[in-house]
Each structure stands twice: as structure tokens, then as C-alpha cells.
């Protein structure tokens, strides 16, 4: 076991995947000798060579398209897109080919690839570097979408994604890349895709969140509980598509109240789908309508206003009070 940050756990997961399976190949902009824009691939080119850690031109559509061909011919490509806002030029490849090849070929071809994408804001980056548009991909049949909230899950989910026979979008929350350390096993292990984690058990309100917001919610919990004399149950969704209905529904049936917190804009965000499904399946157990706390419905602003775009403590607090006082 070693104490690692989330970005170090990603690096360790990639190293483990490269060592365990000769079919794994990394590709992306500046991921070779430079080690990647966030250093997620640091040292891997020196260890495994330029044939398996491949620097590419600045061409996201080409990176994704080349990965489709590699995957269809027996390799396991792990392309890196530097920022979520840069993935849009590769969007057509993802929704038209990556997500559809299994169905289009009637199962003759699958696309075992893992698209790594740093996402989210609050790192003081310029425009297009802080998007949180996971809904675009969670909405697309054929894609699995995961997002770790801590170093242990980062390595385990990444290795599970590499073993998946179908494409996985692996969303890495930049805000907590180096925010804290956690013990991570040296050996290979997997965290099951499709299983949420109950981070904290409680009786009065279920808070559902993922990625960087898990840490924000957990930081807010002690004060919220102390002031109101309540116990919050916190769920880290971990897999955004397909998400773990059983864990979410069981928690909501226990507490009767739910608040969904995510960094993406609120309008048509993943929280809307979660809320709709909870109402459809748990309506007779609800003591109040489900509340959502998301990013403001504007593009992520420049850094002076960036912290106001993501859910703040005050907005989470208001949502908790709203479902308690209904």
C-alpha cells in the first residue's frame, strides 16, 4: 500500500494495465516524453517505450478514430483527451462509431477502449478547460461512463474499465487531482463498474453525488448535521451510466428525502434523470420532492467567478432545508 493522490493513482493504474496486458496502448497529446498535461502518464514512455505510449498530433477526432481501429483489431487503446472541452471535435467519432460498433456489426466487433478525460472546474483554467458535460455521454447508448472521487476508486475503476469488452469514458475530476492522499494497493485490483458506494450512512436525507463534489458534500456534512440534528446519507454514484438504481432507491426508501448535487449545469443534467427515476420508482416513499443542486445554467466563467458556478455550501444547505421543511 502507498499513499497516493488521485492523479498518482491514475498513473499507477495505467502502469499496472500496461504491465499486465501487452494489448494495452496509450495515445494522446504530449503523453509520451512530456508525461501528459497533468502528468498522468509521467514515466510510462520511458518504461514501456514509444510504441505503447504514443504521442499524437493535436487532433482529437483522429485520436478517437485511430483508437476505434486499434480496438477493432485486438488492442486495448487508452486515449487521453486533455480537457473535457477539447473532446467535442471527437464527439462524432464517439457517438457514431465508438458507441455503436458492437450493435452495427451484430457483435462481430467490440470496442474495448477507455477514453480518459479530465473534467470539471475550479482549477483556474481558461474557457473550455472546465466543462462538466458528462450528460452528453451518459445519454448515449453503448457508452459506459465512470467518475472516481478518490485515489482508491481511481485505480480500481480504471483497471475495471481496461478489462471491459465495451467502451468506457473515464472522467477524472481535475479539482481533486492533488487535493488529498489515500492508501492505494500496489497490486492490481478492480472496483466494480455499475456499483455506487454509500460513503456515509444516515436516516433523514439521501445526498447523491459523484466526482469532485463528493468531497465538497462530505466537508459540509458535519456542520449540516450538527445545526439541524439530522443524519445525512451520502452516496457516491461512481458509475454515471449505467448508474446503480438499487443502491439509490434503497437509500431513498429509507430516508424519504433526496438531494442530488453535481457540478454540471442543472438544466437537463444527469440530476434530472436521477430525479425522474426516483419519482417514478419511489414516489410512495418520498416525504418531499427531490431537490437538485447543480452548476449555474451558463458556461463556466473565468476564474474570478468560477467558485460561484459550482454548487456552494450555501446552495447545498438550502436544498437540504427545502426537502426537510416541505
Amino acid at each position: 500500500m502507498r499513499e497516493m493522490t488521485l492523479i498518482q493513482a491514475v498513473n499507477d493504474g495505467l502502469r499496472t494495465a500496461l504491465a499486465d496486458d501487452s494489448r494495452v496502448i496509450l495515445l494522446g497529446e504530449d503523453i509520451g516524453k512530456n508525461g501528459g498535461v497533468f502528468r498522468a502518464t509521467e514515466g510510462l514512455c520511458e518504461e514501456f517505450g514509444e510504441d505503447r505510449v504514443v504521442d499524437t498530433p493535436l487532433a482529437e477526432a483522429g485520436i478517437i478514430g485511430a483508437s476505434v481501429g486499434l480496438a477493432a483489431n485486438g488492442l486495448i487503446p487508452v486515449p487521453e483527451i486533455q480537457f473535457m472541452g477539447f473532446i467535442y471535435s471527437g464527439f462524432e467519432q464517439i457517438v457514431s462509431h465508438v458507441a455503436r460498433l458492437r450493435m452495427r456489426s451484430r457483435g462481430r466487433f467490440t470496442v474495448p477502449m477507455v477514453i480518459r478525460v479530465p473534467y470539471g472546474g475550479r482549477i483556474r483554467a481558461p474557457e473550455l478547460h472546465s466543462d462538466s458535460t458528462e450528460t452528453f455521454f451518459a445519454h448515449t447508448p453503448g457508452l459506459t461512463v465512470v467518475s472516481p472521487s478518490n485515489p482508491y476508486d481511481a485505480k480500481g475503476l480504471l483497471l475495471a474499465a481496461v478489462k471491459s469488452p465495451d467502451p468506457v469514458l473515464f472522467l477524472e475530476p481535475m479539482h481533486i487531482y492533488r487535493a488529498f492522499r489515500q492508501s492505494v494497493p500496489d497490486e492490481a485490483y478492480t472496483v466494480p463498474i455499475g456499483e455506487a458506494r454509500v460513503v456515509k450512512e444516515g436516516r433523514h436525507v439521501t445526498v447523491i453525488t459523484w466526482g469532485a463534489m463528493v468531497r465538497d458534500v462530505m466537508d459540509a456534512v458535519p456542520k449540516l448535521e450538527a445545526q439541524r440534528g439530522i443524519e445525512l446519507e451520502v452516496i457516491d454514484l461512481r458509475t454515471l451510466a449505467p448508474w446503480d438504481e438499487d443502491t439509490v432507491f434503497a437509500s431513498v426508501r429509507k430516508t424519504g428525502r433526496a438531494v442530488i448535487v453535481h457540478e454540471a449545469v442543472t438544466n437537463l443534467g444527469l440530476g434530472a434523470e436521477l430525479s425522474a427515476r426516483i419519482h417514478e420508482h419511489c414516489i410512495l416513499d418520498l416525504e418531499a420532492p427531490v431537490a437538485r443542486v447543480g452548476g449555474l445554467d451558463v458556461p463556466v466563467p473565468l476564474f474570478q467567478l468560477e467558485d460561484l458556478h459550482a454548487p456552494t455550501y450555501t446552495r447545498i444547505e438550502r436544498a437540504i432545508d427545502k426537502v426537510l421543511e416541505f
Side-chain angles (χ1 to χ4, degrees):
M1 300 280 279
R2 285 180 290 163
E3 295 291 310
M4 295 184 191
T5 63
L6 195 150
I7 192 69
Q8 289 172 331
V10 169
N11 178 273
D12 193 54
L14 293 172
R15 177 178 286 102
T16 302
L18 286 162
D20 286 354
D21 194 331
S22 61
R23 297 174 299 165
V24 175
I25 178 173
L26 314 186
L27 60 162
E29 299 159 3
D30 297 327
I31 70 162
K33 294 180 180 177
N34 193 41
V37 64
F38 290 103
R39 302 295 181 264
T41 54
E42 190 166 41
L44 301 181
C45 182
E46 291 79 358
E47 188 171 349
F48 295 96
E50 295 180 0
D51 290 339
R52 298 189 65 198
V53 184
V54 181
D55 275 323
T56 68
L58 302 178
E60 282 74 14
I63 295 169
I64 302 298
S67 297
V68 173
L70 292 168
N73 285 280
L75 297 179
I76 304 175
V78 184
E80 175 185 291
I81 303 298
Q82 289 189 335
F83 294 90
M84 194 77 163
F86 296 178
I87 202 171
Y88 306 133
S89 59
F91 189 75
E92 192 274 337
Q93 290 282 352
I94 295 172
V95 299
S96 297
H97 304 293
V98 173
R100 293 172 184 257
L101 195 55
R102 174 188 281 275
M103 178 170 284
R104 180 180 297 149
S105 67
R106 302 296 186 266
R108 289 181 59 221
F109 294 99
T110 60
V111 186
M113 61 188 288
V114 183
I115 306 173
R116 293 184 41 249
V117 191
Y119 84 112
R122 297 182 291 170
I123 65 163
R124 307 299 183 253
E127 188 188 9
L128 279 174
H129 291 67
S130 303
D131 283 6
S132 186
T133 49
E134 58 266 34
T135 300
F136 291 171
F137 305 98
H139 179 71
T140 302
L143 292 179
T144 295
V145 183
V146 303
S147 179
S149 68
N150 58 72
Y152 181 90
D153 283 359
K155 181 176 177 179
L157 283 171
L158 180 58
L159 291 176
V162 170
K163 292 180 180 300
S164 171
D166 291 304
V168 177
L169 195 71
F170 191 82
L171 301 179
E172 300 168 7
M174 296 185 295
H175 182 60
I176 56 171
Y177 258 160
R178 296 177 172 84
F180 60 98
R181 294 177 181 273
Q182 186 181 41
S183 294
V184 176
D186 292 323
E187 64 273 17
Y189 65 94
T190 58
V191 171
I193 290 175
E195 291 186 14
R197 180 172 68 104
V198 179
V199 182
K200 176 190 172 300
E201 294 190 356
R203 296 181 297 154
H204 300 99
V205 180
T206 298
V207 182
I208 306 156
T209 186
W210 57 87
M213 293 310 303
V214 173
R215 185 174 171 85
D216 292 76
V217 168
M218 288 304 295
D219 286 346
V221 162
K223 185 177 178 181
L224 291 167
E225 289 187 330
Q227 289 180 341
R228 290 157 180 79
I230 60 171
E231 295 177 6
L232 299 173
E233 180 145 305
V234 180
I235 293 177
D236 176 3
L237 209 56
R238 297 201 293 197
T239 300
L240 314 187
W243 56 276
D244 184 354
E245 289 186 340
D246 291 343
T247 298
V248 171
F249 292 167
S251 177
V252 172
R253 286 176 178 135
K254 178 176 70 172
T255 65
R257 298 175 175 85
V259 173
I260 302 161
V261 181
H262 59 64
E263 194 168 343
V265 296
T266 307
N267 183 43
L268 293 175
L270 190 56
E273 175 66 15
L274 288 162
S275 175
R277 302 266 281 276
I278 291 170
H279 283 102
E280 287 174 358
H281 292 271
C282 307
I283 186 66
L284 297 180
D285 300 290
L286 287 174
E287 301 289 343
V290 177
R292 291 177 291 152
V293 187
L296 303 178
D297 291 330
V298 297
V300 179
L302 295 178
F303 61 88
Q304 288 179 314
L305 299 173
E306 192 177 19
D307 288 343
L308 299 177
H309 182 269
T312 60
Y313 175 85
T314 300
R315 291 169 59 202
I316 296 172
E317 180 183 45
R318 287 174 183 164
I320 298 291
D321 288 342
K322 183 179 178 181
V323 299
L324 286 171
E325 296 167 2
F326 179 80

